[in-house]
């Protein structure tokens, strides 16, 4: 029987083709999901509101600012930012955080978070 061994090969080939088709669909939908996530979540993150900006700002400052401005924000490698009242407005501090300032790099937080940090820095706490 000459043709016999061809049958298993044909089955393997068909299974292989099916797998390739299935995998590429899985890959496509995963990529779509990822893209949707990137587009969707990116904007969603910016609209997220913070109930208590001062408390949230304090936590964020602990995470993002103390490495350079010192544990109590009174200065480290960067200047003292514990007493900015009268020097900067909330908007100006937000701008510094988001875009950097002189030798300070931009900090990877979103607008709402930067606003919360700025409010915290200008609060009495
Ligand atoms: C990588 C180090 C680094 C990090 C992190 C950092 N800063 Fe700075 N920051 C600096 C340096 C350095 C300066 C001084 C810039 C200059 O004048 O050249 C500065 C300056 C500032 C100033 C201006 C101060 C003044 O007296 O004019 C503000 C406000 C400020 N930082 C806020 C923040 C806040 C808020 C965060 C956290 C969200 C933060 N910084 C995180 C390094 C840093």
């Amino acid at each position: 029987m000459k043709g016999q061994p061809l049958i298993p090969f044909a089955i393997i080939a068909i299974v292989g083709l099916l797998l390739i088709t299935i995998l590429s669909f899985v890959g496509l939908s995963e990529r779509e999901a990822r893209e949707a996530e990137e587009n969707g979540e990116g904007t969603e993150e910016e609209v997220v509101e913070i109930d208590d900006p001062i408390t949230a700002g304090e936590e964020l400052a602990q995470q993002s600012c103390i490495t350079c401005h010192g544990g109590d924000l009174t200065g480290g490698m960067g200047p003292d930012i514990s007493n900015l009242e009268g020097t900067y407005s909330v908007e100006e501090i937000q701008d510094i955080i988001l875009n950097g300032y002189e030798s300070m790099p931009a900090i990877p937080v979103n607008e709402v978070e930067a606003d919360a940090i700025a409010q915290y820095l200008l609060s009495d706490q």
Side-chain angles (χ1 to χ4, degrees), residues 60-61 64-65 67-69 77-81 84 87-88 93 96-97 101-105 107 109 117 121:
L60 288 161
S64 316
C65 317
T67 37
C68 298
H69 292 281
M77 168 212 137
D80 183 351
I81 55 166
L84 293 175
T87 315
Y88 293 107
I93 298 174
I96 289 175
I97 298 170
Y101 172 71
E102 304 283 339
S103 55
M104 174 180 150
I107 308 298
V109 293
I117 299 170
L121 289 178

Side-chain angles (χ1 to χ4, degrees), residues 49-64:
E49 281 183 35
I50 294 177
D51 287 336
D52 182 356
I54 308 293
T55 309
E58 179 173 9
E59 272 169 31
L60 288 161
Q62 292 294 324
Q63 288 164 23
S64 316

